[in-house]
């Protein structure tokens, strides 16, 4: 029998415990597929005594994940600690320095330090794999780095945060306000410790920028991504969108053009007929468009014990099989640095304006749009509240910069009581 591949696991939360369960339950399958046993040597977490529903007695315990990362008797360091820097990054660096392969689920760390860590891993001749970091159980990293490697990828789109999708679809199903469903999601334990990572679009943008890097051969650029969360979406927006044949999704979109890389993560309207609109609850969906393959749609659980551990074990198996693919699909030193741009593609936009209910106010709004050369496709005013008139406008296609000019002019006239809600209508 071949020598086992020996692993050390740092972080025994939901995913860590799930990984141990898979390794214990499926050991024969894993050994047959890897051609060698997968053996856990040691584990590390904050509390040794906590009951995680898995038997850890066969494994050595390390209080310090960095000590685990450096052990002579492991081949693969599995980083499930989380967090952009701190222990997770230090342990990852130490593992790489000591010639260990690394498997991680840490999107935040890679979105910020991906280029540096990829270079370090490739210089040390080790693998750094991260299937679990993007969309949990959906095999999107493998799809991009391997299955679609022959394509010029033209666009990536997706719903990459299950919590936001849960909130938006529950608002639509129940007719309840954002705040109430946010609290429900909190009670169900869906929200990250810092909920803004979810509802502010940060977690999803971490995932999008990793996909962009592989898709376009560019250096990971989280700071260049344009983010907007779902906190200003009201039940009225959801109803109005639905009546016009759309559904609101926190949608990531990236594309590369001659002028640069556009990466946006913000609420958008998608047609009810699009696959994205069919996505309910905490599920994720990623749509990839390539010049040869056309459009493909990947859908599945974006989080949770089984799905995320499924992605981690797949990376471990690949390492055991001797598969060695550059971290972002091509050598880190060949990834190009490109300017971040806001998309130049023209779209229709949905605007919700809370206007003063006075004579001539609507004329000021339409004049501002006309001055910017923006044509109105649809307009609706109903449901007055005190002295406010909620107005919904759908524009004909225009670009965001032009729309921003019109919005600035609207704001200068003091016609609107609140800043407008602006949602792009994405063609999918
Ligand atoms: N909080 C994330 C989500 C899962 O709701 O999809 C981890 O990225």
């Amino acid at each position: 029998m071949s020598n086992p591949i020996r692993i050390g696991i740092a972080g025994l939360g939901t995913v860590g415990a799930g990984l141990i369960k898979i390794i214990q339950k499926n050991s024969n399958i894993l050994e047959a597929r890897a051609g060698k046993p997968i053996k856990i040597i040691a584990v590390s977490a904050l509390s040794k005594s906590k009951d995680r529903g898995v038997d850890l007695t066969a494994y050595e315990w390390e209080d310090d994940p960095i000590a685990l990362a450096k052990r002579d008797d492991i081949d693969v360091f599995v980083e499930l600690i989380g967090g952009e820097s701190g222990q997770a990054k230090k342990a990852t660096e130490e593992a790489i320095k000591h010639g260990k392969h690394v498997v991680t689920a840490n999107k935040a760390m890679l979105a910020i330090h991906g280029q540096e860590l990829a270079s370090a891993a490739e210089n040390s001749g080790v693998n750094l794999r991260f299937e679990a970091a993007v969309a949990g159980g959906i095999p999107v990293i493998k799809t991009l780095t391997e299955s679609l490697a022959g394509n010029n990828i033209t666009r990536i789109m997706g719903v990459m945060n299950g919590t936001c999708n849960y909130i938006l679809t529950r608002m639509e199903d129940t007719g309840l306000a954002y705040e109430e469903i946010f609290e429900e999601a909190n009670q169900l334990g869906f929200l990250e410790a810092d909920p803004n990572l979810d509802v502010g679009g940060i977690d999803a943008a971490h995932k999008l920028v990793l996909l962009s890097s592989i898709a376009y051969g560019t250096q990971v650029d989280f700071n260049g991504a344009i983010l907007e969360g779902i906190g200003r979406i009201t039940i009225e927006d959801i109803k109005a969108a639905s009546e016009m044949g759309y559904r609101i999704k926190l949608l990531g979109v990236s594309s590369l053009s001659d002028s640069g890389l556009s990466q946006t993560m913000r609420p958008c309207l998608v047609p009810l007929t699009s696959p994205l609109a069919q996505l309910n609850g905490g599920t994720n969906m990623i749509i990839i468009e390539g010049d040869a393959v056309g459009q493909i749609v990947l859908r599945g659980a974006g989080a949770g014990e089984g799905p995320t551990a499924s992605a981690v074990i797949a990376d471990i198996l690949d390492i055991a099989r001797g598969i060695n693919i550059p971290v972002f699909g091509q050598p880190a030193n060949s990834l190009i640095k490109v300017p971040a741009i806001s998309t130049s593609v023209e779209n229709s936009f949905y605007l919700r304006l809370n206007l003063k209910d006075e004579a001539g106010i609507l004329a000021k709004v339409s004049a501002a749009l006309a001055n910017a050369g923006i044509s109105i496709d649809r307009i609706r005013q109903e449901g007055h509240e005190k002295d406010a008139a909620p107005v919904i406008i759908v524009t004909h296609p225009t670009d965001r910069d032009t729309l921003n000019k019109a919005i600035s002019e609207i704001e200068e006239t003091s016609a609107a009581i609140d800043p407008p809600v602006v949602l792009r209508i994405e063609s999918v």
Side-chain angles (χ1 to χ4, degrees):
M1 186 173 60
S2 302
N3 288 334
I5 183 129
R6 303 162 303 168
I7 70 173
I9 305 171
L12 296 177
T14 311
V15 182
L19 174 63
I20 293 173
K21 284 181 200 165
I22 295 183
I23 293 174
Q24 292 176 347
K25 180 167 156 274
N26 292 351
S27 61
N28 291 341
I29 297 174
L30 299 178
E31 181 174 344
R33 291 182 181 157
K36 56 182 76 164
I38 309 284
K39 188 170 176 204
I40 302 171
I41 300 292
V43 296
S44 172
L46 284 178
S47 160
K48 189 173 180 183
S49 56
K50 184 175 171 185
D51 180 9
R52 299 174 171 90
V54 282
D55 182 5
L56 301 176
T57 49
Y59 318 133
E60 290 193 43
W61 181 270
E62 292 278 6
D63 285 323
D64 178 7
I66 294 167
L68 175 63
K70 296 199 269 199
R71 280 178 72 115
D72 288 338
D73 57 357
I74 67 161
D75 306 304
V76 182
F77 176 67
V78 182
E79 187 280 300
L80 301 174
I81 303 167
E84 178 187 316
S85 40
Q87 293 277 78
K89 180 162 181 266
K90 277 192 203 130
T92 299
E93 287 166 342
E94 282 303 320
I96 291 170
K97 215 182 281 175
H98 286 79
K100 319 293 176 190
H101 303 290
V102 176
V103 174
T104 179
N106 193 332
K107 64 224 72 166
M109 176 176 79
L110 291 175
I112 308 297
H113 307 290
Q115 179 67 25
E116 166 197 340
L117 291 172
S119 297
E122 287 166 25
N123 290 339
S124 286
V126 297
N127 280 294
L128 170 58
R129 307 277 304 219
F130 60 96
E131 184 69 72
V134 180
I138 301 179
V140 62
I141 303 297
K142 214 173 184 36
T143 301
L144 274 173
T145 50
E146 297 180 45
S147 319
L148 302 182
N151 283 258
N152 174 24
I153 303 295
T154 47
R155 183 166 67 152
I156 295 180
M157 263 177 299
V159 169
M160 303 177 200
N161 183 277
T163 305
C164 288
N165 202 54
Y166 174 86
I167 292 174
L168 293 171
T169 52
R170 278 287 289 165
M171 283 171 72
E172 182 165 11
D173 291 347
T174 61
L176 293 173
Y178 171 82
E179 291 74 17
E180 288 176 81
I181 302 296
F182 177 93
E183 190 45 39
E184 180 182 290
N186 193 22
Q187 295 299 327
L188 290 167
F190 288 177
L191 288 160
E192 299 280 340
D194 172 5
N196 195 42
L197 287 176
D198 285 317
V199 297
I202 300 164
D203 167 84
H206 284 153
K207 298 167 187 168
L208 179 69
V209 302
L210 296 176
L211 298 184
S212 298
S213 175
I214 303 169
Y216 311 119
T218 49
Q219 294 188 10
V220 188
D221 181 16
F222 177 72
N223 292 329
I226 297 171
L227 303 193
E228 195 181 308
I230 62 167
R232 292 195 65 216
I233 303 297
T234 64
I235 193 67
E236 285 71 32
D237 292 319
I238 289 176
K239 282 186 192 147
S242 170
E243 283 161 18
M244 291 187 296
Y246 297 101
R247 200 155 268 151
I248 299 178
K249 297 287 171 194
L250 177 67
L251 190 67
V253 184
S254 79
S255 59
L256 180 69
S257 66
D258 289 343
S259 36
L261 177 63
S262 161
Q263 304 181 100
T264 57
M265 181 60 67
R266 49 190 173 198
C268 293
L269 271 64
V270 295
L272 283 172
T273 48
S274 104
L276 286 161
Q278 316 304 318
L279 193 70
N280 293 320
T283 314
N284 284 193
M285 180 177 284
I286 298 173
I287 297 182
I288 304 171
E289 293 170 352
D291 60 350
V293 75
Q295 185 183 80
I296 66 156
V297 179
L298 303 171
R299 171 188 189 145
E305 178 182 300
T308 313
S310 159
V312 174
I313 193 67
D315 280 344
I316 295 171
L317 277 185
D318 270 1
I319 292 169
R321 287 161 162 160
I323 295 170
N324 185 356
I325 292 172
V327 182
F328 292 105
Q330 64 185 64
N333 62 13
S334 72
L335 295 166
I336 54 171
K337 206 170 162 60
V338 291
I341 54 160
S342 60
T343 180
S344 53
V345 176
E346 296 204 339
N347 289 85
S348 289
F349 285 88
Y350 164 104
L351 309 182
R352 175 165 53 79
L353 300 150
N354 203 21
L355 299 180
K356 288 181 187 159
D357 198 6
E358 293 170 10
I361 289 289
L362 202 49
K364 287 184 183 169
V365 171
S366 62
L369 291 167
N371 291 342
I374 298 171
S375 170
I376 294 172
D377 178 26
R378 294 190 238 180
I379 183 161
R380 197 183 86 176
Q381 176 184 333
E382 58 188 43
H384 292 70
E385 281 177 22
K386 293 185 189 154
D387 297 331
V391 170
I392 287 167
I393 293 175
V394 173
T395 71
H396 279 295
T398 183
D399 64 70
R400 185 76 186 216
D401 291 343
T402 306
L403 184 65
N404 286 346
K405 268 187 222 145
I407 288 170
S408 301
E409 191 179 326
I410 293 170
E411 290 185 325
E412 277 162 24
T413 65
S414 306
I417 295 164
D418 310 306
V421 169
V422 181
L423 305 175
R424 193 165 71 178
I425 302 180
E426 193 68 40
S427 20
V428 187

